[in-house]
Each structure stands twice: as structure tokens, then as C-alpha cells.
Amino acid sequence: MVLKIFFPRCCNSADSGLLVGRWLPGQESAVVLAVIHYPFIPGQVKRYLSELQAQSQVELSVLGSWSMPKEGQEGMESFLKDLSTIFPQDRWLQLSRGAGRRGFACQLVERGGGSAQDGGDGGGDSDGVIFVHYDQRKVMLSQLHPPEGGGGANGTAEPSELRLVFQTVARSQPLFATDQYDDGPLKVTHWQSEGREASIIVELTKQASVPLCALLTWLLSLWTRLCRISLFNMWPVRFVTSKLSTCVQLSYRTDHLRTVSSPKKASDHMEFMRKANIFVSFFVDVALGLLLISWLYRANRISRLADILVPAADHVAKELQELLQWLMGAPAGLKMNRALDQVLGRFFLYHIHLWISYIHLMSPFIERILWYVGLSACLGLTFALSVLSDIVALLTFHIYCFYVYGARLYCLKIYGLSSLWRLFRGKKWNVLRQRVDSCSYDLDQLFIGTLLFTILLFLLPTTALYYLVFTLLRLVAVLFQGVIHLSVDFINSFPLFAMGLRLCRPYRLAEGVKFRVLSEEPGKPLHLMMEINPLKYSSVLQWYRTPTYSCYPKDSWVALCKKLFVGELIYPWKRKGTKTD
Amino acid sequence: MGADSGPGAPSAVPWRKVLYERQPFPDNYVDRRFLEELRRNVRVRHYRYWGVVREAGLVAQQLSCVAAFLTLWWYMDQSQLSPSTLLMAGLLFALLGYGLYEALGASRGGGRTRLADLQSAAIFLAFTFGFSPVLKTLTESVSTDTVYAMSAMMLLAHLVSFPYAQPSPPGSLSLNAALFASVCLASRLPGALHTFAMLTCALLVFALWPCLLHRLRDRAPWGFPWAAALVSLGSVAGLASLSPGGALLLAVALLTLTLLCPLLLVRLQRHKDNIHGPWDEAEIHEDLSHFLQ
């Protein structure tokens, strides 16, 4: 087995002393975390280590000795060997660095003085040891993500060596708390922060956030209790609120805020990232919403918008009227049943008439409604978009009505035709066996069935044309609403914080590592430099997307086309029942 | 037929036609007894000419029914036949036919009651009468040629799929095809009452008449050929009043169907040469007993 020693780069030029670190269980490798300098009292070192171990839950131990000869410090070899008797270990590493030389010399002393692997200057079995240098700060801060595909297997099986290294370094954060200016009993070399200038502000924010979170939680609980009042849980209210995308967005945001404002500390990395993502995206959302408000309420834009809106709705109604007049003639030279055509056309025309009068009734209030509704944008851009979606849904309600009538009629015809076609051939659908069986019908059944079949068959083109036209109109509205929903969903679920982290501190989110050869000389241990591979952007998105009610089309395209063909209703707001990560 | 006398076949061991034993013969070996089991024309039926003619009369009769229906439609379309006349005639024939049906079926016990018959009749009349204005405007915008082509296809389908062997409950497909064709044709007529009369007529001709005919064939076999001949003669005569050429064609077709085709069948039956043997697959026998001598 090759012995791997993970060595922090900051200790390269440390003074001589003891190597503190951890032997990875089950692996032939050791992680060096720090160097304790001479002079020290062995009892203090042991106490210090046990304290750290209690804090960080990492089995820290003295790995061996480190010698960095300087002028006037010769002949320490024997002293270093003696140290192994003070700190009894199964294996004792003796690393030494020659003055002015790049490589290290390494000697491994097994307990009992048995075999000694010698990677020193004198030659010997130098293949046995590999030095992996790592940047302690980056490794400590970075979060190693399991590779795609094998992620689940890695989680359940025993963690890999690399993961152990990352864990060890990250967990022994208390070890790095002392800095070189501390006047403790021990002098230690490891990675040190550059200082904490901003820490006062951070501390103040932390202090302030606790009562803020408590207040927010209280408000949220109040809001939840308000929502639970039985008046709001009655059928019509519930139905309407489940259909209005604003209400859906409201409940969604409440969930988010509840997550963020929970006073508990985030237990693991994922939860922390989730909270941070929600927090940042919430802030960006509100900032965008305020921007929108500041644009909207300046220069009388609201009233201008209202002035545009009513004529636009009027215009759509007029266009629809013309379309219906065209359909009632002989559209595109199609031969349709004149009587049915007239009946359907008049029915829809009456509907449009109703719609126009409704719009005109509403028009004096539109500006005021818009003014108040626009205020919802201060809750965030997503709210403004949801309100827009709802307004579009309400303004195209007549199209929706037409579509439902057409689809129901068409659906009735299709189902009638399909079952009567079976009767026409003398078959029937056997419900128990889920198949088509032959059946002998009575004379009167056959007669009436054929009569209806003929009638339905000849009336089908007329109904189908109306259905087609209104479905196309409906699809336009659905498409528009779908785009709005998608963008709201995007803002809700986009991991803004994780993306920013990936952009500014690529090493924080690691996907793996790569090794660079530092020096490879025959007869000397191999020196590798470990560098962190940042996570790919797509993987960041995949890992840290906030779970959300997905608004993507529920069915595949084929299923959608089939639904359209059979005449089943399609909705933009159909969401998946469960949260999807 | 296999290696009859293999070089290494020892005559001491007799060959057996079994697969479960290892025998000193090649796999494709058969001995001389193989062709002894050959039989010729085992189940060939020898038809009597007049028996076949009698059955072919049913086909001819159905064809003439279609012709008669088309003739009636033509007269209605030209307004030479008033719908009330047709309705009265239809009522008369229906009552006559019902009386005959009941008289012939007096011996049978269960089945439909008079009330059920009356109910069915009421449903027919009510639905047809109620739907006739709808049916009238149904094919307004469809081209006449399309309607004719569709009706022709459907009547052909009716003739092809008619269950000639067992016509008592008329086959679903044949009846539906005929009704579809008659609805298409009736929707071209000038008035709603015309449509109603035409559909009633179609019901009589395509749905009820086969039932009566079947009963006739079962109970009074002597009357069946006369009825078929009567229908054929009536249809030819009716067509003759419309177009003599068409009537001639129909007569020739009917004669071919009833006289020439059975003759051909009986003559060709002689040349039949079927071989049967142990190599045959299992056969499923249909009950064709009434074609037998």
C-alpha cells in the first residue's frame, strides 16, 4: 500500500515541531492539520489535543515530528526519535525538510521498531509515500458534492478517502481559531485568517436578527391562524383561492418566510444553503418589485394603463365578434351544417354581448383597482407577475367559457361517435374485461343507434371547427399565462446565493479534486498539489434549486395532443400534487 | 417421400412411426404403408341443383329488396309518390306481415309479448318522426354526389355483410349500413314527411322483412320460394316502370344469381380433388347440414 500524506501548504516552511493530524480510518493515509512548535510541554500538548477533540469530534493525534533545520539547530535526529516514546502511536512519521531543498524526507517508524519505510535522501523505498499538498483554507471552506449518478451510493456506503479528508479538515475548525499573535502556551502553525475587521457588524446583525426572526415568526403564526378560520375553508373560497395564482404565490412565500425565520440553526450545509437561497431571492424579488412600483407610480402611468386596458378588452371582443360572424358564414369554403352553425354562432354572440356590457360596467373602476392591485408589487416582483396572470385570466374569461362549451360539445360528440361506431359494427365495450366484445342488439337499439350515429357524424365537422377555433384562442391565453408562471417559478426557485457563491468563491462548492505534480524525482517521494474542481453551473442549479410546485407542463406533448383531440379540458394552473426537488 | 430403402436399414427391426424411440432409420424415413392412409374427397358435399337454387333465391331476394327500395326512393324524390300513400301502404303491409308472423309463430311459447312489439313500434315511429326535420337538414351542405356514393357504398356493405345463413336477427353491420344509406338518401327528399315515410319504409324493408322471411322459411318451407319470386318480380316490374334498361339488367342479374351460379357450383363440384391423410391439420367443422342431400 502506498502511504498518502495530506500536507497543508501553509506548513511548508514552519519551524520544527510536532505534526498534529489524523490517521484516516481504514485508509493508508494521514491528514496533517498543524505543526506544534518547540518548545512545548508534552502534557500541555496532550491536554490541548483532548480539548480540541471534544470540541470538534475529530480523533486528533500526534502523527509524528517535523524538522526544519536552521542554522545552529543540528543534531535533532535523536531527539525526534525519542519523541515517539512520549506520544505513543502505532506509527510515527518523521518528516524533515533539508535547507534549500524542495522535497521532504519521510521516515515511517512502526511501533515495535519494525520496518521503517524510508523515503529519505538515502534512497530506499521512496514509492511508498506520496505527499499531497492542499490549501487548508479552501479545503476547510469547501463542500464536496458527490458526483452525479453515484451520489446515492456514495452517501450510504462508507465515505471515500477524499470525503474523509474534506470532513476532517472542515470539522477541525476550532484548531484554526488560534492565530499566531495569541499568547498561549503552545505555538502552532496552520492556516490563519487575515483578521476579522467586519466582525462587529456581523455580530450586531446576528444579535438583531434574533428578535426580528421572532417577530416574523409571530406574524406568520398570526397569518396562519387567520387563514385557518373556517370562513376561508368553505368550498367556494377555497376553490377560488386555489385557482388564483396570487393566492398560490402568497402561500408559497409564507412557506419560504417560515423556513427562513425559524430560530433553529441550520443543521447541515444543504439546509443552510436553502435558507440563504430563499433569503437572497426574496430580497432580490422585493427589490425588483419596488423598482417596478417606482416606475409604475410615476408620471401617471397607472391611469394610462387603465385607459389602454379597457379599449384593448373591447377590441378583443370586437375581433371575436367578427370571427364568429365569419364562422357563421361558410368559413374557408367548408361545408358545415347551416342550422347548427347558426345556433352555435348566435349563442356565442350573445355571450360576447354579455361580456362587453360587463366590461363597460367595470370600466370606471378599472383605474382604482389597478392602483390598489399595483401596490402588491411591493411584496415582490413575483406577486406583480401573479397579479398580471390573474388579470389576464379574468379578462379572457369569455374565451375560456367558449372553449369549455366547445370542448364539452366536441367531447360529447367524440365519445358518442366512438361508442356508436362500436354499435354500428355490432360490438360493445365490455367494462369487466376491458375489451370490445361482440353483442347482439335489439332492433330498436340498432335503429336508434344508427340514427344518432348518422346525425352525430354529419354534425361533427361544424362542432369540430368551433372547437378548433376556440381551442387555438385558449392556447394563446394559456401560453401567455404559462410564460408568466414559468418566470415566477424561476424567480422562486433559482438558487441565487449558490450561484453567487460559485461565481465569486468557486472553491466553496467542490465537485472533486485534481492533482498536479509538483516534483517527481527518482528516489524521492512524489509531491502532488491538490486543487479543487468547482461544481458546474448546471449542477449548482440541480443541487440547490428550491423545491417548488413545478409549473412545467404536466403531460408530455403526445398526451396533450391526445387530450386536445378527445376534447378534454386543459388548464395552465394544474400543478403537480407534491413538491419536487 | 423420404428414403424408402436406406442402405443401412436392417429389415430385421420393423420401423415404427414414433418419435420417442431411437431407431436405425434416417429422420425422414417412411415405409411403404405411408400412402395407404391417403383418402380423396372425404367430406365433399354433393349438392342438389334445386336445393342450391332455393337457397340462392335468398340472395336474389335481398338484391331485389334493395332495388325496390331504391325505386321507391326515386319515385319519392321525383314527387311522383306522395308520402302519405307510402305510409298507408307501409302500414298495410306491416299489419299484414305482423298477422302472418303471428300466425306462423303461434306454436312457439315464450319470446316477445305484444306489448313489447307495440313499444318497439312506438319507439321507431316517435324517434323517426322527431328526428326527421333534423335529418332533412343534415346533408344540406354535402354534395349530392357524395351522398350518392356514400349510400351506394353502404348498400353494397349491406348486401355483402347480410347474414344469409341465419337472417332472423338481422346482422348489426348489415342493418346499420342499410339504415345509414337510407338516412343519407332520405335527407335528400323534399320534405320532412318524405323523410319520415322513407325511413319507415327502410325499416320495413331492411329490418322487419328479413324476420318474416326467416319465419316463413322455418315454418312454411313451401311458401318461401314463392315469396322470394314475388319480391323479385315486383322489384323488376317496379324498376321497369322507371327504366326498362335497368330492369333488364336486374332481371339478368337475378337469373344469373338464382339459376346460373348454382349450376356452375354443381358442375364444378365434380372436379373437386381433395386429398386427406395423417398429415392434415385438425379441422373445424361448420354446420352445413342443410346443404346436404
Side-chain angles (χ1 to χ4, degrees):
Chain A
M1 266 309 262
V2 181
L3 179 66
K4 275 166 276 183
I5 299 171
F6 290 86
F7 198 81
R9 222 165 44 159
C10 48
C11 296
N12 267 348
S13 49
D15 290 339
S16 306
L18 280 176
L19 294 173
V20 176
R22 181 190 180 196
W23 287 101
L24 296 182
Q27 311 275 357
E28 277 290 308
S29 46
V31 184
V32 176
L33 292 171
V35 177
I36 298 179
H37 303 301
Y38 304 121
F40 53 79
I41 303 164
Q44 271 181 347
V45 172
K46 279 179 185 168
R47 207 174 60 233
Y48 180 61
L49 284 186
S50 63
E51 271 171 24
L52 278 179
Q53 198 159 337
Q55 269 184 49
S56 64
Q57 313 290 328
V58 178
E59 308 105 55
L60 291 175
S61 59
V62 176
L63 298 179
S65 63
W66 164 254
S67 73
M68 178 83 174
K70 287 181 184 168
E71 292 87 54
Q73 270 191 334
E74 299 294 335
M76 290 185 80
E77 294 295 313
S78 59
F79 173 62
L80 291 177
K81 278 208 180 83
D82 293 341
L83 275 176
S84 66
T85 55
I86 302 174
F87 300 100
Q89 289 287 331
D90 285 349
R91 299 191 225 174
W92 187 257
L93 279 174
Q94 278 186 347
L95 303 185
S96 60
R97 185 166 180 188
R101 267 188 285 175
R102 288 188 68 195
F104 301 161
C106 172
Q107 216 171 357
L108 182 70
V109 183
E110 299 274 347
R111 193 149 194 208
S115 66
Q117 262 187 332
D118 187 16
D121 291 339
D125 190 11
S126 62
D127 294 336
V129 180
I130 296 176
F131 282 96
V132 182
H133 298 263
Y134 67 93
D135 190 325
Q136 205 163 32
R137 175 165 165 269
K138 286 185 177 177
V139 171
M140 186 188 87
L141 290 176
S142 83
Q143 171 74 24
L144 189 67
H145 294 77
E148 285 172 52
N154 249 1
T156 53
E158 68 177 46
S160 68
E161 185 179 4
L162 204 60
R163 186 163 295 278
L164 277 175
V165 171
F166 272 71
Q167 268 177 11
T168 309
V169 178
R171 279 219 211 127
S172 45
Q173 216 165 351
L175 178 66
F176 310 132
T178 57
D179 63 44
Q180 67 194 96
Y181 308 110
D182 276 353
D183 209 13
L186 299 169
K187 286 283 179 197
V188 183
T189 297
H190 48 71
W191 162 74
Q192 285 165 354
S193 62
E194 302 292 322
R196 295 179 180 173
E197 291 86 7
S199 58
I200 289 177
I201 301 173
V202 171
E203 284 304 314
L204 276 179
T205 319
K206 270 184 190 168
Q207 294 299 323
S209 73
V210 173
L212 206 66
C213 278
L215 182 70
L216 212 57
T217 314
W218 184 73
L219 283 178
L220 279 175
S221 69
L222 210 66
W223 169 247
T224 318
R225 221 174 294 158
L226 193 71
C227 289
R228 287 227 184 97
I229 292 176
S230 58
L231 183 69
F232 291 115
N233 274 334
M234 264 158 36
W235 179 77
V237 178
R238 213 163 163 194
F239 181 75
V240 167
T241 49
S242 70
K243 293 287 179 262
L244 285 180
S245 53
T246 315
C247 297
V248 174
Q249 176 64 20
L250 196 65
S251 74
Y252 193 59
R253 269 287 177 239
T254 316
D255 266 4
H256 275 177
L257 279 179
R258 197 170 293 141
T259 314
V260 170
S261 70
S262 77
K264 268 186 283 179
K265 197 172 183 295
S267 60
D268 61 345
H269 174 76
M270 283 309 280
E271 203 180 327
F272 167 73
M273 289 299 277
R274 176 169 300 174
K275 274 188 171 186
N277 278 331
I278 290 175
F279 194 68
V280 171
S281 69
F282 179 71
F283 260 89
V284 169
D285 187 21
V286 170
L288 286 177
L290 289 178
L291 212 65
L292 183 71
I293 280 194
S294 71
W295 179 81
L296 208 60
Y297 284 78
R298 212 180 296 155
N300 214 11
R301 284 203 176 89
I302 286 275
S303 62
R304 259 193 278 161
L305 200 66
D307 288 345
I308 292 172
L309 206 59
V310 174
D314 240 0
H315 182 69
V316 168
K318 284 264 159 43
E319 288 288 326
L320 273 177
Q321 237 165 1
E322 273 174 31
L323 179 73
L324 279 174
Q325 299 283 3
W326 178 68
L327 281 179
M328 280 167 73
L334 288 174
K335 300 282 173 56
M336 311 217 293
N337 191 284
R338 214 170 46 79
L340 182 68
D341 202 19
Q342 292 291 326
V343 167
L344 285 177
R346 282 196 195 137
F347 175 69
F348 288 129
L349 277 182
Y350 176 65
H351 237 269
I352 289 184
H353 172 72
L354 278 184
W355 178 253
I356 289 179
S357 41
Y358 164 61
I359 291 271
H360 284 184
L361 208 69
M362 286 274 290
S363 56
F365 308 108
I366 288 252
E367 186 184 341
R368 179 138 309 178
I369 291 175
L370 272 184
W371 198 88
Y372 283 118
V373 156
L375 284 180
S376 73
C378 66
L379 289 174
L381 183 66
T382 49
F383 275 92
L385 285 178
S386 304
V387 165
L388 179 66
S389 160
D390 284 342
I391 287 178
V392 167
L394 285 177
L395 283 186
T396 57
F397 192 66
H398 49 330
I399 291 179
Y400 175 66
C401 282
F402 293 166
Y403 167 69
V404 171
Y405 299 145
R408 287 282 180 235
L409 210 59
Y410 179 75
C411 183
L412 200 74
K413 291 223 160 150
I414 287 286
Y415 275 104
L417 270 181
S418 68
S419 67
L420 286 176
W421 170 242
R422 266 181 244 128
L423 177 133
F424 194 85
R425 290 176 304 146
K427 304 268 166 68
K428 71 165 182 185
W429 175 252
N430 189 338
V431 184
L432 292 180
R433 299 196 171 184
Q434 294 287 309
R435 66 173 192 199
V436 174
D437 278 348
S438 62
C439 167
S440 76
Y441 289 98
D442 283 343
L443 262 185
D444 36 2
Q445 286 170 332
L446 284 179
F447 177 71
I448 293 169
T450 309
L451 213 60
L452 287 179
F453 178 77
T454 318
I455 292 174
L456 287 186
L457 189 70
F458 279 104
L459 293 187
L460 183 69
T462 314
T463 326
L465 186 70
Y466 272 86
Y467 172 67
L468 182 74
V469 169
F470 291 132
T471 304
L472 288 180
L473 284 179
R474 173 75 182 151
L475 278 181
V476 171
V478 164
L479 206 68
F480 183 71
Q481 277 185 286
V483 167
I484 290 181
H485 279 198
L486 271 184
S487 51
V488 167
D489 197 49
F490 178 76
I491 296 176
N492 277 339
S493 68
F494 190 72
L496 215 53
F497 179 73
M499 277 296 177
L501 207 61
R502 167 68 183 84
L503 202 66
C504 304
R505 299 269 187 279
Y507 58 84
R508 288 291 294 269
L509 305 173
E511 193 175 33
V513 294
K514 58 180 178 237
F515 295 100
R516 192 157 52 83
V517 176
L518 277 182
S519 75
E520 188 180 15
E521 293 170 40
K524 287 196 175 173
L526 181 64
H527 286 261
L528 297 175
M529 182 69 210
M530 187 167 84
E531 286 164 2
I532 290 173
N533 271 344
L535 204 59
K536 275 183 294 222
Y537 282 102
S538 57
S539 318
V540 171
L541 207 64
Q542 201 182 339
W543 271 95
Y544 295 107
R545 223 172 68 89
T546 316
T548 168
Y549 294 106
S550 176
C551 295
Y552 300 116
K554 197 178 152 221
D555 315 298
S556 64
W557 290 107
V558 179
L560 187 73
C561 288
K562 201 178 160 197
K563 264 187 162 180
L564 283 180
F565 180 74
V566 192
E568 279 181 50
L569 298 182
I570 51 168
Y571 290 104
W573 53 62
K574 225 166 210 173
R575 287 150 191 270
K576 282 179 185 166
T578 52
K579 278 187 173 186
T580 49
D581 279 294
Chain B
M1 277 260 173
D4 207 1
S5 54
S11 53
V13 185
W15 176 77
R16 291 173 63 204
K17 201 171 82 174
V18 290
L19 285 175
Y20 52 81
E21 265 178 21
R22 188 169 287 284
Q23 300 178 71
F25 299 99
D27 281 350
N28 57 354
Y29 178 83
V30 283
D31 66 359
R32 285 174 196 290
R33 286 172 297 165
F34 183 68
L35 282 181
E36 283 172 11
E37 290 177 53
L38 175 70
R39 286 171 300 155
R40 288 170 182 279
N41 291 345
V42 179
R43 285 182 221 99
V44 168
R45 289 167 177 98
H46 296 280
Y47 299 119
R48 264 187 326 169
Y49 178 67
W50 288 109
V52 181
V53 166
R54 191 185 150 88
E55 295 300 323
L58 192 62
V59 183
Q61 178 274 137
Q62 203 58 37
L63 185 61
S64 10
C65 275
V66 171
F69 178 76
L70 287 178
T71 314
L72 281 177
W73 176 78
W74 183 258
Y75 274 119
M76 294 278 282
D77 199 32
Q78 300 299 314
S79 303
Q80 290 174 18
L81 182 66
S82 75
S84 50
T85 318
L86 187 63
L87 278 176
M88 288 320 256
L91 184 66
L92 187 68
F93 274 111
L95 285 179
L96 269 180
Y98 190 65
L100 188 59
Y101 188 82
E102 287 295 311
L104 285 172
S107 56
R108 105 207 126 143
R112 293 166 64 87
T113 58
R114 294 250 157 72
L115 190 67
D117 288 340
L118 201 65
Q119 204 180 349
S120 288
I123 288 177
F124 287 143
L125 292 179
F127 265 84
T128 321
F129 193 73
F131 274 124
S132 53
V134 177
L135 294 175
K136 172 74 196 56
T137 61
L138 203 59
T139 59
E140 229 173 29
S141 56
V142 181
S143 149
T144 309
D145 289 340
T146 315
V147 172
Y148 286 168
M150 213 148 44
S151 316
M153 292 290 294
M154 283 294 165
L155 285 176
L156 207 63
H158 164 72
L159 283 178
V160 168
S161 65
F162 191 82
Y164 292 104
Q166 190 66 262
S168 174
S172 301
L173 182 59
S174 68
L175 179 62
N176 285 328
L179 283 176
F180 189 89
S182 44
V183 168
C184 284
L185 286 178
S187 67
R188 292 271 119 178
L189 291 179
L193 194 63
H194 289 75
T195 310
F196 174 58
M198 207 63 233
L199 277 181
T200 321
C201 175
L203 198 66
L204 285 180
V205 171
F206 293 119
L208 300 180
W209 171 243
C211 293
L212 179 62
L213 203 65
H214 182 66
R215 176 64 63 84
L216 200 65
R217 203 168 63 159
D218 266 2
R219 307 277 165 177
W222 53 267
F224 169 70
W226 295 111
L230 205 66
V231 169
S232 307
L233 277 180
S235 75
V236 170
L239 201 58
S241 67
L242 206 67
S243 76
L248 191 66
L249 268 180
L250 180 65
V252 168
L254 289 180
L255 284 179
T256 312
L257 266 178
T258 42
L259 299 178
L260 201 57
C261 290
L263 192 66
L264 275 178
L265 178 70
V266 171
R267 292 287 293 278
L268 290 177
Q269 198 72 5
R270 266 188 232 151
H271 303 291
K272 199 152 185 161
D273 187 14
N274 272 8
I275 56 172
H276 292 267
W279 55 82
D280 278 355
E281 291 174 7
E283 284 178 35
I284 297 164
H285 303 290
E286 277 187 72
D287 185 24
L288 295 172
S289 54
H290 50 277
F291 279 112
L292 288 177
Q293 293 177 353

